[in-house]
Amino acid sequence: MSVSMRDLDPAFQGAGQKAGIEVWRIENFSPTPIPKSSIGRFFTGDSYIVLKTTALKTGALRHDIHYWLGKDTSQDEAGTAAVKTVELDAALGGRAVQYREVQGHETEKFLSYFKPCIIPQEGGVASGFKHVEAEEHITRLFVCRGKHVVHVKEVAFARSSLTHDDIYILDTKSKIFQFNGSNSSIQERAKALEVVQYIKDTYHDGTCEVATVEDGRLMADADSGEFWGFFGGFAPLPRKTANEEDKTYTSDIKKLFCVEKGQANPVEGDSLKREMLDTSKCYILDCGLEVFVWMGRTTSLDDRKVASGATEEMIRSSERPKSQMIRIIEGFETVTFRSKFDTWAQVTNTTVSEDGRGRVAALLQRQGVNVRGLMKAAPPKEEIQAFIDCTGNLQVWRVNGQQKILLQAADHSKFYSGDCYVFQYSYPGEEKEEVLIGTWFGKQSVEEERASAVSMASKMVESMKFVPAQARIYEGKEPVQFFVIMQTFIVFKGGISSGYKKYIAEKEVGDDTYNENGLALFRIQGSGPENMQAIQVDPVASSLNSSYCYILHNDSSVFTWTGNLATSTDQELVERQLDLIKPNLQTRAQKEGSESDQFWELLGGKTEYSSQKLTKEPESDPHLFSCTFTKEILKVTEIYNFTQDDLMTEDIFIVDCHSEIFVWVGQEVVPKNKLQALTIGEKFIEKDSLLEKLSPEAPIYVIMEGGEPSFFTRFFTSWDSSKSAMHGNSFQRKLRIVKNVGTPVAEKPKRRTPASYGGRASVPDKSQQRSRSMSFSPDRVRVRGRSPAFNALAATFESQNARNLSTPPPVVRKLYPRSVTPDSSKLAPKSSAISSRSALFEQQLKTPPQEPSIPKSLKASPKTPEAPAPGSNSNGKEEEKENGKEEEKSMSSRIEYLTIQEDAKEGVEDEEDLPAYPYERLKTTSADPISDIDVTRREAYLSSEEFKEKFGMTKEAFYKLPKWKQNKFKMAVQLF
């Protein structure tokens, strides 16, 4: 598409450079920017252009352009908005999706930008309209429709406007009434309450009363009587009559037109195929409610304007006010558009579009405009985070036919590819003990044992009242949470279960189950001591890869092989895995390119092998879907710009981030549907609603409301766990929030002692605890801002069972004798410093901290000593033992208190010498990020003023918070 400077309106220069919403109003046939304070206010006599810019995980910016037409806007203004939208797309590089929005019939995506609703006001800048400023409150009646987003429309203030099917809001001077039609759903009623809250805050300064009236309750209460009094008293509602608003348009019809010389000519064909679209032309695809305009990549700006005009005329002449026009550029087609075609071969070549984007940027740059946002941003370098505590209690069972066999702690992380496993992991969550129950299917495992594993795991979850999260994991598709739980994970070939043995006997195939005295080759991978794997592969040279390290052994020899592209971390992991796979033999190191003959002989000779690092399914930006599952048919509806409030307790939702699928189940979902949650996840993968070619082996999690783990809540901008602690359905919960002006603070549940299976105690024994803690890196870097002396002192007094998550784990001896031990002579000079520091802390510990300064959760609960029973022979031993416990408990509380205090003190001290940078360049989604900073402490580089603006507190107060809470705040403002 050719672009000239005359095509670019000055109002659009610099648009779309950062994530957010930008709005222009058409004034005198030109776009005029709307100030941020007025975004969300629309007038019925005006036309607007709305640009939504989204920062993707890849670092690129996605643009959606909407032009909104008020019911009283002039045809000239509407035409100007349509044309200027095409120009704005050109300025952004010609890749945006464009939507035509008509007042009262807006798309759900558009309404999601302005939650909970938009309520257009009378007035406008053209055609003699003036913006109406109400001098006194006017009683108004609104109808609300929608389960996920709410369409709000003002209707005549009369009884005849009310029906049994919808929800109505009566806004009076002193009270807001919500009338719930008897045929409306709970979810619709709950969403309408968000509109009530909006009206209360916007038009009543948050001070008026709120009342609800149920259709059919007559004069049962004072609120009902008062409501009907505004309509002259109660009377039966009239039967709803059909009108233009209720007319529906079928989406089954699909007609394709080619636009030539301003005329839409039908395209003949038995079915729709991608090959029917010519890159040098524009097309109209009429699907009834949706009308798409497809614009070829090489079409001119004038061609696109003509095609848009022809589509407008088609909609207007067919009298379809509800029809939504969506304009799409070749190569950037939406999922909905592609799904209309019987076959769609993706032939997108984005380089052409990137060139066009670059030419536009160059033209603007010559005018002195900052164009960095027009160019593709570099993908942010993100460290993979597990969002799960790795110090919990792990239990693992191997499935053997219809039974499960509990594994010893030493075998927890040693799996066979021919077997299935069930695991239960209990760990400290943010507010309570959390449990994850999952299944792992080996690539060679049999279907019967997979079904047994799922059944066993589901029964475990059900027996614990559906509180734990449930996971289904396949070999080769393991998520990072699983690897962090297992820490040192080994996968052997073959299997030892009865199902696998029966399978190979029936198929008469060889048994390649791992033999420690046989020939075996392991690929070593991972990111560190808490996340490392050894995967057994075929012992042939073609299994090697220059990006990894390997362990090769037979009964008498052990070789390590290091690829030329392997990192120092990979080499360290090899040393650690050797101690688990073949610890008692001398190792012969091999470097790629200088291998010995014996090494190649064991592999059957030298052959070609790969150098490309294996890649896993990337995590994409999350999408939220509402699900309805009836008679084995799954229907899904995408919810745009979602928040926690979109999750309704009566429904099931799915979060799809491509690499993993999360099925969220509300507390009020019927038990039958709860049991089908995993099946719903599998059906969703089969349906592939986003046409993203989901792997059928992608991990599936089932998350129950109230037990959401951090690796689920991270997809939401903010998360309030107290909302799920409320009782009642969605409507009842939100009604309490609206009437109480805010979410009630729910009492934090105490940490639950997880159930145990297989006859083992729910609390692990000391040896098992040590095996988990010893999996930590021996060379763990200390927590930032905390002195080594303090760590040593804290480790001395801490109880491992009650360790606060804001403190580091206790120092443990090295498990791996091959690991390099620091020279003790270098550590000697630290001893005097540690001693003096310890003495200082001991003195502080003797003085109790001031009562007002101690957080409530850290106070020790004093107990009144009881006198020994007459005749007892305790000789003071019991009392001494009890006093010892109290002293230890008190000491632990003081340690926790001093932990937070020192973190706060030293955290602030660390910030003093750091330079200050603007927030826009520090956040994780920045288009122009600051380099050479500590990315784990982005907040430290904010100025004091901007820090207080973003976090609502001073830096000193922030660093007094526990680490997990700091991270939660940082995630909310995109600094983590």
Side-chain angles (χ1 to χ4, degrees):
M1 179 186 69
S2 59
V3 180
S4 64
M5 291 308 299
R6 64 181 176 81
D7 297 323
L8 302 175
D9 195 292
F12 295 142
Q13 293 183 4
Q17 295 190 26
K18 59 182 180 179
I21 295 178
E22 298 169 79
V23 181
W24 296 263
R25 182 172 59 219
I26 303 301
E27 299 180 8
N28 298 321
F29 307 106
S30 295
T32 301
I34 295 294
K36 286 187 177 182
S37 60
S38 297
I39 289 179
R41 293 181 62 193
F42 295 87
F43 291 88
T44 61
D46 292 333
S47 296
Y48 297 81
I49 296 175
V50 176
L51 170 62
K52 176 71 164 80
T53 304
T54 306
L56 305 178
K57 282 183 174 291
T58 60
L61 296 175
R62 186 188 70 212
H63 298 103
D64 292 286
I65 308 174
H66 306 253
Y67 63 101
W68 184 88
L69 309 177
K71 65 181 180 65
D72 299 319
T73 191
S74 67
Q75 188 170 336
D76 289 339
E77 279 193 351
T80 300
V83 170
K84 290 299 180 181
T85 298
V86 177
E87 293 181 13
L88 175 58
D89 172 56
L92 296 171
R95 60 173 57 191
V97 181
Q98 305 158 45
Y99 302 82
R100 173 180 178 267
E101 309 285 354
V102 178
Q103 180 182 342
H105 308 294
E106 296 87 354
T107 62
E108 291 198 355
K109 174 175 277 192
F110 178 80
L111 292 176
S112 72
Y113 305 152
F114 309 102
K115 289 182 179 179
C117 66
I118 60 172
I119 302 179
Q121 298 174 251
E122 293 292 331
V125 297
S127 304
F129 282 95
K130 292 185 179 180
H131 295 166
V132 177
E133 300 293 342
E135 297 180 357
E136 61 180 32
H137 190 276
I138 301 175
T139 299
R140 297 183 295 174
L141 183 65
F142 302 94
V143 60
C144 299
R145 298 187 179 100
K147 181 178 177 181
H148 304 302
V149 293
V150 188
H151 289 81
V152 179
K153 180 183 178 182
E154 185 174 356
V155 294
F157 177 26
R159 186 200 313 278
S160 58
S161 297
L162 304 176
T163 70
H164 298 292
D165 299 321
D166 297 318
I167 298 168
Y168 296 83
I169 296 175
L170 179 64
D171 178 21
T172 70
K173 185 175 183 179
S174 59
K175 184 181 286 189
I176 302 174
F177 298 87
Q178 176 171 316
F179 174 81
N180 298 322
S182 57
N183 296 332
S184 62
S185 68
I186 292 174
Q187 295 91 330
E188 290 174 316
R189 299 177 185 187
K191 276 296 175 184
L193 278 173
E194 296 179 8
V195 179
V196 170
Q197 184 68 56
Y198 171 79
I199 294 174
K200 178 180 177 180
D201 294 338
T202 305
Y203 300 105
H204 297 269
D205 297 326
T207 58
C208 70
E209 294 182 59
V210 172
T212 59
V213 178
E214 298 298 324
D215 182 15
R217 286 195 181 178
L218 305 180
M219 306 290 287
D221 56 58
D223 290 331
S224 295
E226 187 177 355
F227 171 80
W228 289 112
F230 284 97
F231 297 94
F234 173 78
L237 296 182
R239 180 176 298 178
K240 187 176 182 180
T241 58
N243 55 36
E244 185 64 29
E245 294 292 324
D246 302 313
K247 186 185 294 185
T248 59
Y249 303 97
T250 178
S251 296
D252 296 333
I253 59 168
K254 292 180 290 188
K255 297 179 181 179
L256 185 65
F257 302 85
C258 179
V259 181
E260 295 179 307
K261 297 181 181 180
Q263 298 297 318
N265 303 316
V267 177
E268 301 298 331
D270 296 332
S271 61
L272 291 179
K273 299 179 181 179
R274 168 65 178 83
E275 293 74 17
M276 299 171 70
L277 305 177
D278 187 341
T279 188
S280 63
K281 297 179 180 179
C282 294
Y283 295 82
I284 299 172
L285 179 60
D286 186 359
C287 299
L289 183 60
E290 297 171 314
V291 181
F292 298 91
V293 183
W294 185 89
M295 298 173 281
R297 190 185 297 119
T298 60
T299 54
S300 67
L301 190 59
D302 288 336
D303 290 337
R304 299 180 182 185
K305 291 179 180 179
V306 169
S308 298
T311 309
E312 292 266 12
E313 180 59 32
M314 178 184 291
I315 294 174
R316 186 164 45 248
S317 61
S318 58
E319 297 182 351
R320 292 183 291 173
K322 281 188 175 182
S323 290
Q324 300 162 350
M325 184 174 75
I326 304 170
R327 299 189 295 221
I328 298 170
I329 307 297
E330 178 185 5
F332 299 94
E333 295 87 355
T334 63
V335 171
T336 306
F337 178 79
R338 284 185 279 139
S339 68
K340 305 297 182 183
F341 287 74
D342 298 311
T343 59
W344 185 275
Q346 191 70 17
V347 292
T348 304
N349 181 4
T350 59
T351 57
V352 176
S353 182
E354 289 291 348
D355 291 341
R357 193 178 180 86
R359 288 197 298 270
V360 173
L363 289 171
L364 294 176
Q365 194 170 32
R366 285 200 292 271
Q367 280 197 335
V369 177
N370 183 356
V371 297
R372 72 166 185 264
L374 293 181
M375 303 307 294
K376 183 177 180 179
K381 294 182 179 179
E382 294 185 355
E383 294 184 7
I384 299 177
Q385 298 184 57
F387 295 95
I388 192 169
D389 188 282
C390 61
T391 63
N393 175 31
L394 175 66
Q395 291 177 288
V396 181
W397 296 264
R398 185 179 65 252
V399 177
N400 193 49
Q402 299 297 318
Q403 299 177 331
K404 64 180 190 288
I405 300 173
L406 182 66
L407 301 183
Q408 297 298 318
D411 297 326
H412 277 176
S413 301
K414 297 177 181 179
F415 286 17
Y416 286 86
S417 187
D419 295 340
C420 296
Y421 296 83
V422 177
F423 64 90
Q424 176 179 319
Y425 183 61
S426 308
Y427 61 98
E430 291 187 350
E431 296 179 347
K432 63 181 184 299
E433 192 81 0
E434 295 183 354
V435 182
L436 174 64
I437 294 175
T439 55
W440 183 91
F441 302 151
K443 289 181 178 179
Q444 300 171 278
S445 61
V446 298
E447 192 60 40
E448 292 81 2
E449 290 190 337
R450 292 182 180 183
S452 294
V454 171
S455 176
M456 294 171 187
S458 298
K459 288 178 180 178
M460 292 166 65
V461 172
E462 186 178 2
S463 69
M464 299 173 70
K465 298 182 179 179
F466 296 101
V467 172
Q470 185 176 354
R472 187 213 67 177
I473 299 170
Y474 280 87
E475 178 186 351
K477 298 290 185 179
E478 297 92 347
V480 66
Q481 292 88 240
F482 178 81
F483 284 145
V484 168
I485 290 172
M486 296 298 171
Q487 298 186 2
T488 305
F489 187 57
I490 303 175
V491 178
F492 299 114
K493 294 179 74 69
I496 57 178
S497 68
S498 59
Y500 177 76
K501 297 297 183 183
K502 179 181 178 182
Y503 171 79
I504 61 175
E506 291 176 350
K507 297 295 183 180
E508 296 182 354
V509 296
D511 187 356
D512 60 350
T513 301
Y514 173 72
N515 181 355
E516 62 180 356
N517 295 319
L519 180 64
L521 178 66
F522 292 88
R523 182 180 70 246
I524 309 303
Q525 60 191 40
S527 59
E530 296 173 5
N531 176 9
M532 58 180 179
Q533 302 89 47
I535 311 299
Q536 187 180 359
V537 295
D538 293 332
V540 293
S542 59
S543 295
L544 298 176
N545 188 310
S546 300
S547 297
Y548 295 92
C549 294
Y550 290 79
I551 296 174
L552 174 66
H553 77 73
N554 59 10
D555 58 337
S556 58
S557 304
V558 180
F559 294 87
T560 61
W561 185 85
T562 304
N564 289 331
L565 301 179
T567 65
S568 57
T569 300
D570 295 328
Q571 298 175 41
E572 180 188 355
L573 298 185
V574 167
E575 293 296 318
R576 296 180 182 275
Q577 291 285 12
L578 273 171
D579 295 316
L580 302 173
I581 295 174
K582 208 71 172 174
N584 300 320
L585 289 178
Q586 184 66 34
T587 304
R588 298 172 61 182
Q590 307 285 302
K591 181 70 177 174
E592 182 178 6
S594 58
E595 299 89 348
S596 65
D597 292 338
Q598 186 182 357
F599 176 81
W600 291 121
E601 287 174 6
L602 287 176
L603 292 178
K606 185 176 181 179
T607 60
E608 291 185 357
Y609 50 83
S610 176
S611 61
Q612 295 292 323
K613 199 172 185 69
L614 302 177
T615 58
K616 292 206 169 190
E617 293 284 349
E619 182 177 280
S620 65
D621 294 273
H623 296 261
L624 180 67
F625 294 86
S626 172
C627 301
T628 303
F629 188 59
T630 54
K631 297 181 180 179
E632 297 300 313
I633 298 176
L634 178 66
K635 296 182 179 180
V636 298
T637 303
E638 183 169 5
I639 300 173
Y640 303 99
N641 300 293
F642 61 86
T643 65
Q644 181 186 357
D645 288 333
D646 289 312
L647 301 177
M648 297 289 185
T649 187
E650 299 81 18
D651 293 332
I652 294 177
F653 294 83
I654 287 180
V655 174
D656 173 13
C657 61
H658 186 71
S659 60
E660 297 170 286
I661 302 298
F662 297 81
V663 183
W664 184 89
V665 183
Q667 292 177 357
E668 298 296 315
V669 171
V670 296
K672 177 184 175 182
N673 290 344
K674 287 183 180 180
L675 295 173
Q676 293 180 313
L678 191 58
T679 301
I680 290 174
E682 294 171 341
K683 291 286 185 182
F684 179 84
I685 291 178
E686 291 176 13
K687 190 179 183 70
D688 196 12
S689 299
L690 295 178
L691 303 181
E692 54 183 334
K693 296 181 180 179
L694 287 173
S695 169
E697 297 181 351
I700 298 176
Y701 296 90
V702 177
I703 310 294
M704 296 295 171
E705 182 183 11
E708 296 89 351
S710 297
F711 56 83
F712 173 78
T713 59
R714 66 190 175 100
F715 297 116
F716 297 80
T717 305
S718 61
W719 189 269
D720 184 355
S721 58
S722 66
K723 289 183 178 180
S724 59
M726 298 176 68
H727 298 291
N729 59 39
S730 299
F731 171 70
Q732 292 166 340
R733 293 181 185 187
K734 290 197 175 182
L735 182 60
R736 283 198 291 272
I737 293 174
V738 171
K739 288 193 172 184
N740 295 338
V741 194
T743 305
V745 179
E747 183 179 347
K748 290 186 178 181
K750 297 180 180 179
R751 285 192 174 173
R752 199 171 22 79
T753 301
S756 178
Y757 296 87
R760 290 175 62 91
S762 60
V763 179
D765 57 27
K766 291 183 179 180
S767 63
Q768 187 170 351
Q769 285 185 337
R770 179 170 291 275
S771 69
R772 295 294 300 168
S773 63
M774 290 172 68
S775 297
F776 283 101
S777 169
D779 305 315
R780 175 185 292 278
V781 179
R782 72 181 178 90
V783 176
R784 184 177 302 280
R786 183 174 296 148
S787 65
F790 186 84
N791 283 341
L793 184 64
T796 302
F797 289 102
E798 276 185 326
S799 168
Q800 194 168 4
N801 281 333
R803 182 168 63 83
N804 189 316
L805 291 179
S806 65
T807 64
V811 179
V812 295
R813 67 176 180 85
K814 287 197 173 186
L815 174 63
Y816 311 97
R818 293 179 185 268
S819 303
V820 179
T821 303
D823 187 355
S824 58
S825 63
K826 295 180 181 179
L827 300 178
K830 296 183 180 179
S831 60
S832 58
I834 293 176
S835 300
S836 59
R837 188 73 165 173
S838 299
L840 175 61
F841 278 114
E842 286 174 0
Q843 183 177 0
Q844 289 179 318
L845 288 172
K846 292 176 182 178
T847 305
Q850 294 180 0
E851 183 71 21
S853 302
I854 305 179
K856 199 170 186 177
S857 60
L858 300 181
K859 293 181 182 179
S861 301
K863 293 183 179 180
T864 304
E866 296 180 4
S872 65
N873 193 24
S874 63
N875 295 325
K877 289 184 179 180
E878 290 296 327
E879 183 178 352
E880 182 179 341
K881 183 177 180 181
E882 193 66 31
N883 289 339
K885 287 183 179 179
E886 287 299 320
E887 185 176 344
E888 181 182 349
K889 188 174 182 181
S890 177
M891 187 68 72
S892 176
S893 297
R894 295 175 185 174
I895 284 287
E896 288 182 295
Y897 168 74
L898 288 173
T899 299
I900 298 175
Q901 295 302 312
E902 178 164 298
D903 273 349
K905 179 181 177 182
E906 297 195 13
V908 174
E909 289 176 355
D910 286 346
E911 320 306 327
E912 292 179 354
D913 298 328
L914 295 178
Y917 296 109
Y919 166 75
E920 292 298 332
R921 298 190 64 189
L922 287 172
K923 63 181 182 179
T924 55
T925 57
S926 174
D928 183 24
I930 297 289
S931 57
D932 300 327
I933 64 170
D934 184 347
V935 295
T936 65
R937 305 171 64 210
R938 296 177 186 271
E939 79 288 350
Y941 300 90
L942 289 172
S943 65
S944 299
E945 294 77 11
E946 199 162 15
F947 187 100
K948 191 169 184 180
E949 177 187 347
K950 296 297 179 185
F951 289 90
M953 66 184 79
T954 63
K955 288 188 178 182
E956 185 175 1
F958 175 79
Y959 288 111
K960 288 182 180 180
L961 300 174
K963 293 295 181 186
W964 65 265
K965 204 159 190 176
Q966 293 180 21
N967 291 339
K968 194 167 184 180
F969 272 103
K970 291 194 289 186
M971 287 176 64
V973 296
Q974 298 181 322
L975 291 175
F976 184 75

